[in-house]
Amino acid sequence: MSVTAAKGFTAAGIAAGIKDSGGADLALVVNNGPRHAAAGVFTSNRVKAAPVLWSEQVLKGGQVSAVVLNSGGANACTGAPGFQDTHATAEKVAEALGHSAGEVAVASTGLIGTRLPMDKLLPGVDKAVAALSAHGGEKAAIAIKTTDTVHKTAVAEGAGWTVGGMAKGAGMLAPGLATMLVVLTTDAELDQPELDRALRAATRTTFDRIDSDGCMSTNDTVLLLSSGASGVTPGYDEFAEAVRTVCDDLGQQLIRDAEGASKDIRVEVVGAASEEDAVEAGRSIARNNLLKCALHGEDPNWGRVLSAIGTTSAAFEPDKLNVAINGVWVCKDGSVGEDRELVDMRFREVRITADLAAGSESAVIWTNDLTADYVHENSAYSS
Amino acid sequence: MSVTAAKGFTAAGIAAGIKDSGGADLALVVNNGPRHAAAGVFTSNRVKAAPVLWSEQVLKGGQVSAVVLNSGGANACTGAPGFQDTHATAEKVAEALGHSAGEVAVASTGLIGTRLPMDKLLPGVDKAVAALSAHGGEKAAIAIKTTDTVHKTAVAEGAGWTVGGMAKGAGMLAPGLATMLVVLTTDAELDQPELDRALRAATRTTFDRIDSDGCMSTNDTVLLLSSGASGVTPGYDEFAEAVRTVCDDLGQQLIRDAEGASKDIRVEVVGAASEEDAVEAGRSIARNNLLKCALHGEDPNWGRVLSAIGTTSAAFEPDKLNVAINGVWVCKDGSVGEDRELVDMRFREVRITADLAAGSESAVIWTNDLTADYVHENSAYSS
């Protein structure tokens, strides 16, 4: 289903020869209208890849008629020649489709610091255009995989309208692990400001709160394209909830496919004085390497949770903190609570609840454990 | 040599039975005067262990006549009973030595969240007092080891005076990895404000800039005790440099003994607009798990250096950044520089130079690589 679940979209995924493996590496998503309103959010890393710089400009116009995505190279830290490569890619897509290059978004993922093989990529665009299909969403999702073990798609249905999407990566927007690329499509009729508002609201509590390894990519891109082909204009709240549902679904798929991970860890901070405090404390817990190792070893080491909270500026008193791991309150009032032997750690999902006892706000951050496989995969990646 | 290299100090290290292994686990350092001026710096974690809360109070008085240190338990997150244990330990030392408990500092290291076995610790104090010796520095250094593979000591000599020290851990003050405990002693005659100034100046550019795994301990403690037994008052600058030399030496020993590490990584940020910018960028590079994995795999992955710099608020332009790894400028002007194949990664020490091209300030941060051994050691630690 993927990006072609909504009416008005065609897509393709083909092998252009960018990847040495010969696998699929070029995806194209085309919005056939009648409308072309679009919204996008991008990495907050100040070192941005050429396609991010390009697509940010495209999205300022509020109209996107096609998105071209490649795996096999991030086109980041490639200077002015790299930006020219992105520009040439957009021009090539525009020419092949009879659109304007100013409405063609570009996204790339792969190694930083190497130029894309344009002699393969540009002919690949022709091949992708020839393969465009109203059933091409699945192939497009496959073509953007890098270290992903599975391709990721999701769909939410409204009354006569649909939101669909695809994602690659095992990361997030800000921060971001491996690059996350996401394209969402809808046939609902909405104005650009509503699309933008719905997308930002959805990413703020989904992709922005998955923090697999605390590293932020140069290439993260999430786009939402509307064709209006259903002729239906849903209420904003209903539409926003559908977008959030698809983002949440894709985000969970990213966490479950994180490089080398053996645990999916849900960190919920409750009792916070503000949502910002809850997010800050949750992120600090989610990024603590010592805790991530302990959870890998199925050790409910709550001391490392307190130690992580202690590095934040969130409102709390150390002797009021409570921590539950998989439902057992192993830390009460900043000290030893229920017997840690009661914590069952056998399953892939681990639930940590940290109660700051300072208010009524909360937030959920998802992360993964730190494993020898993560080290192996990321030490061998570019060699 | 260690803490008994300076005149006026005795020390001991004995097995009190706190560690299940039966190894040495209790150290005592006594300042026999004639002076007892002291300074201390402690973890900036807001969740502080009981001995840190106690010793901060002691140091406010500016006088320390003895330090008692234990491995085998951190006495952190142990509530009011844990604080009473620390208090009782100080009282016991004071009673045995005929001092005031208000001049006895306490430091602990080991697992968070478990009470100390006071029935073993208190008799151990008598045993340690009986073992005090002007040659006991080495044994004291051995008794504070936890996961340390070697004990750490250092000495700097002035004209007629000495600064000596011992350390345990593989971490730092703020942030801190495994707990770092450091006791420095000197027989130089200095007033407390000068001791304090010299210690803070030294730790700011040594222990505070080793960042093995970005995690901050609840127990980090660095103390400087002066006996004045040499009768010599050195110039402040000369003394401060000796303290810095000993701190730097011990800090390097901590990095070289970091848990599971196979590389010692020197991150130097140059061309920064301010020292704060240099430290922020250096710490961001030093904490990037993806880079730390790449360096473990001997992969000079400069894209991950740029990606880490991009997450900071330091002054820089992305297309002006330069990065050298082991002397090879693999990134120039934010893009591909010299051939990465020229980088020789075979040795334990890795040198990264990041040039922000925004000023003339610089800073050095030390870190380690991320390895499967680190994961193993920290996932199996408490079980």
Side-chain angles (χ1 to χ4, degrees), chain B residues 55-328:
Chain B
S55 298
E56 282 183 335
Q57 286 303 316
V58 169
L59 267 294
K60 281 186 183 161
Q63 301 274 317
V64 171
S65 53
V67 186
V68 57
L69 311 94
N70 74 275
S71 52
N75 197 7
C77 305
T78 46
F83 189 81
Q84 284 160 14
D85 290 343
T86 292
H87 187 175
T89 305
E91 288 284 1
K92 173 74 184 172
V93 170
E95 183 192 311
L97 295 172
H99 294 161
S100 152
E103 294 188 6
V104 177
V106 182
S108 301
T109 177
L111 261 188
I112 297 177
T114 51
R115 296 277 301 279
L116 290 171
M118 296 303 287
D119 58 327
K120 292 171 181 167
L121 199 156
L122 295 180
V125 169
D126 287 324
K127 196 173 163 187
V129 169
L132 281 170
S133 154
H135 307 286
E138 209 78 17
K139 286 192 172 165
I142 291 167
I144 56 175
K145 285 170 58 185
T146 54
T147 56
D148 307 65
T149 64
V150 293
H151 64 284
K152 290 119 183 161
T153 67
V155 173
E157 301 277 356
W161 54 275
T162 297
V163 176
M166 65 177 185
K168 74 78 42 184
M172 67 244 72
L173 281 174
L177 159 65
T179 291
M180 179 180 63
L181 302 184
V182 178
V183 180
L184 307 174
T185 56
T186 184
D187 48 20
E189 260 196 289
L190 283 120
D191 290 334
Q192 201 278 338
E194 287 174 307
L195 290 178
D196 190 71
R197 186 176 152 211
L199 182 63
R200 286 178 196 282
T203 56
R204 194 178 73 86
T205 58
T206 56
F207 297 125
D208 272 356
R209 294 193 184 166
I210 58 176
D211 196 333
S212 180
D213 74 350
C215 298
M216 193 194 297
S217 164
T218 50
N219 287 58
D220 293 325
T221 300
V222 180
L223 302 175
L224 171 58
L225 279 53
S226 161
S227 68
S230 73
V232 179
T233 301
Y236 172 78
D237 289 347
E238 188 188 356
F239 176 73
E241 177 56 22
V243 174
R244 202 201 59 75
T245 299
V246 171
C247 288
D248 193 43
D249 188 334
L250 291 172
Q252 290 298 310
Q253 293 182 52
L254 294 177
I255 281 287
R256 287 200 295 275
D257 195 29
E259 291 171 348
S262 73
K263 299 282 186 192
D264 304 330
I265 304 164
R266 181 185 191 273
V267 179
E268 180 169 25
V269 177
V270 301
S274 67
E275 187 180 348
E276 293 67 36
D277 276 9
V279 171
E280 185 191 359
R283 228 181 259 293
S284 179
I285 296 166
R287 290 183 180 180
N288 189 282
N289 278 353
L290 289 173
L291 176 66
K292 288 154 74 90
C293 287
L295 297 178
H296 175 54
E298 308 199 334
D299 165 15
N301 195 319
W302 60 267
R304 293 175 180 177
V305 177
L306 256 65
S307 178
I309 296 171
T311 66
T312 72
S313 61
F316 71 85
E317 294 299 325
D319 59 358
K320 299 290 180 196
L321 294 170
N322 306 299
V323 175
I325 300 181
N326 285 350
V328 180

Side-chain angles (χ1 to χ4, degrees), chain A residues 44-48 76-79 111-115 176-178 213-218 259 287-299 301-304 306-318 321 331 333-336 340 370-372 374-383, chain B residues 44-48 76-79 111-115 176-178 213-218 259 287-299 301-304 306-318 321 331 333-336 340 370-372 374-383:
Chain A
S44 56
N45 199 310
R46 292 168 61 200
V47 175
K48 295 179 202 297
C77 305
T78 45
L111 259 188
I112 298 177
T114 50
R115 295 278 300 278
L177 161 66
D213 74 350
C215 297
M216 193 194 296
S217 163
T218 51
E259 290 171 349
R287 289 182 180 179
N288 189 281
N289 277 353
L290 289 173
L291 176 65
K292 288 154 74 90
C293 287
L295 297 177
H296 176 53
E298 308 199 334
D299 165 16
N301 195 321
W302 59 267
R304 292 175 180 176
L306 257 65
S307 178
I309 295 171
T311 66
T312 71
S313 62
F316 72 85
E317 294 299 324
L321 294 170
C331 170
D333 294 333
S335 184
V336 185
R340 43 170 284 154
L370 185 53
T371 71
Y374 173 88
V375 173
H376 177 72
E377 196 158 337
N378 287 296
S379 60
Y381 184 73
S382 82
S383 52
Chain B
S44 56
N45 199 311
R46 291 168 61 201
V47 176
K48 296 180 203 298
C77 305
T78 46
L111 261 188
I112 297 177
T114 51
R115 296 277 301 279
L177 159 65
D213 74 350
C215 298
M216 193 194 297
S217 164
T218 50
E259 291 171 348
R287 290 183 180 180
N288 189 282
N289 278 353
L290 289 173
L291 176 66
K292 288 154 74 90
C293 287
L295 297 178
H296 175 54
E298 308 199 334
D299 165 15
N301 195 319
W302 60 267
R304 293 175 180 177
L306 256 65
S307 178
I309 296 171
T311 66
T312 72
S313 61
F316 71 85
E317 294 299 325
L321 294 170
C331 170
D333 294 333
S335 184
V336 185
R340 44 170 282 153
L370 185 53
T371 71
Y374 173 88
V375 173
H376 176 72
E377 195 159 339
N378 288 296
S379 60
Y381 183 72
S382 84
S383 53

Side-chain angles (χ1 to χ4, degrees), chain A:
Chain A
M1 299 292 285
S2 176
V3 289
T4 47
K7 288 189 282 285
F9 292 91
T10 49
I14 60 104
I18 305 167
K19 283 181 181 167
D20 289 338
S21 67
D25 50 21
L26 192 72
L28 186 61
V29 180
V30 177
N31 181 354
N32 300 297
R35 297 164 68 101
H36 298 94
V41 289
F42 300 91
T43 182
S44 56
N45 199 310
R46 292 168 61 200
V47 175
K48 295 179 202 297
V52 169
L53 295 171
W54 171 266
S55 297
E56 281 183 336
Q57 287 302 315
V58 169
L59 267 294
K60 280 186 185 163
Q63 301 273 317
V64 170
S65 53
V67 187
V68 57
L69 311 94
N70 75 275
S71 52
N75 197 7
C77 305
T78 45
F83 190 82
Q84 285 161 14
D85 290 343
T86 291
H87 188 177
T89 304
E91 289 285 0
K92 174 73 184 173
V93 170
E95 182 192 311
L97 295 172
H99 294 163
S100 152
E103 294 187 6
V104 177
V106 181
S108 300
T109 177
L111 259 188
I112 298 177
T114 50
R115 295 278 300 278
L116 291 171
M118 296 303 289
D119 58 325
K120 293 171 179 167
L121 198 156
L122 294 181
V125 169
D126 287 325
K127 196 172 162 188
V129 169
L132 281 170
S133 154
H135 307 286
E138 210 76 18
K139 285 193 174 165
I142 291 167
I144 56 175
K145 285 169 57 184
T146 52
T147 56
D148 307 65
T149 63
V150 294
H151 64 284
K152 290 121 184 160
T153 66
V155 174
E157 301 277 356
W161 54 275
T162 297
V163 177
M166 66 178 184
K168 72 78 42 183
M172 66 241 76
L173 282 173
L177 161 66
T179 292
M180 180 180 63
L181 301 185
V182 177
V183 180
L184 308 173
T185 56
T186 184
D187 47 19
E189 260 195 289
L190 284 120
D191 290 335
Q192 199 279 336
E194 289 174 307
L195 290 178
D196 190 70
R197 186 176 152 210
L199 183 63
R200 284 177 199 282
T203 56
R204 193 178 72 85
T205 59
T206 57
F207 297 126
D208 272 355
R209 295 193 184 167
I210 56 176
D211 195 334
S212 180
D213 74 350
C215 297
M216 193 194 296
S217 163
T218 51
N219 287 57
D220 293 326
T221 300
V222 180
L223 301 175
L224 170 58
L225 278 54
S226 163
S227 69
S230 72
V232 179
T233 301
Y236 171 78
D237 289 346
E238 189 187 357
F239 177 72
E241 177 56 23
V243 173
R244 200 202 59 77
T245 298
V246 172
C247 288
D248 193 43
D249 187 334
L250 292 172
Q252 290 298 310
Q253 293 181 52
L254 294 177
I255 280 286
R256 287 199 294 276
D257 196 30
E259 290 171 349
S262 73
K263 300 282 186 192
D264 304 331
I265 304 164
R266 181 184 193 271
V267 180
E268 180 170 25
V269 178
V270 302
S274 67
E275 187 180 348
E276 293 67 36
D277 276 8
V279 170
E280 184 191 359
R283 228 181 259 294
S284 179
I285 296 166
R287 289 182 180 179
N288 189 281
N289 277 353
L290 289 173
L291 176 65
K292 288 154 74 90
C293 287
L295 297 177
H296 176 53
E298 308 199 334
D299 165 16
N301 195 321
W302 59 267
R304 292 175 180 176
V305 177
L306 257 65
S307 178
I309 295 171
T311 66
T312 71
S313 62
F316 72 85
E317 294 299 324
D319 59 357
K320 300 289 180 198
L321 294 170
N322 306 300
V323 176
I325 300 180
N326 285 351
V328 180
W329 289 94
V330 283
C331 170
K332 287 184 181 171
D333 294 333
S335 184
V336 185
E338 291 172 29
D339 187 355
R340 43 170 284 154
E341 299 300 324
L342 299 173
V343 183
D344 186 350
M345 301 282 289
R346 288 172 299 169
F347 302 101
R348 185 174 170 100
E349 185 167 317
V350 178
R351 286 168 292 113
I352 295 176
T353 309
D355 172 17
L356 302 188
S360 57
E361 296 297 320
S362 65
V364 173
I365 305 282
W366 282 88
T367 188
N368 295 103
D369 57 342
L370 185 53
T371 71
D373 285 347
Y374 173 88
V375 173
H376 177 72
E377 196 158 337
N378 287 296
S379 60
Y381 184 73
S382 82
S383 52

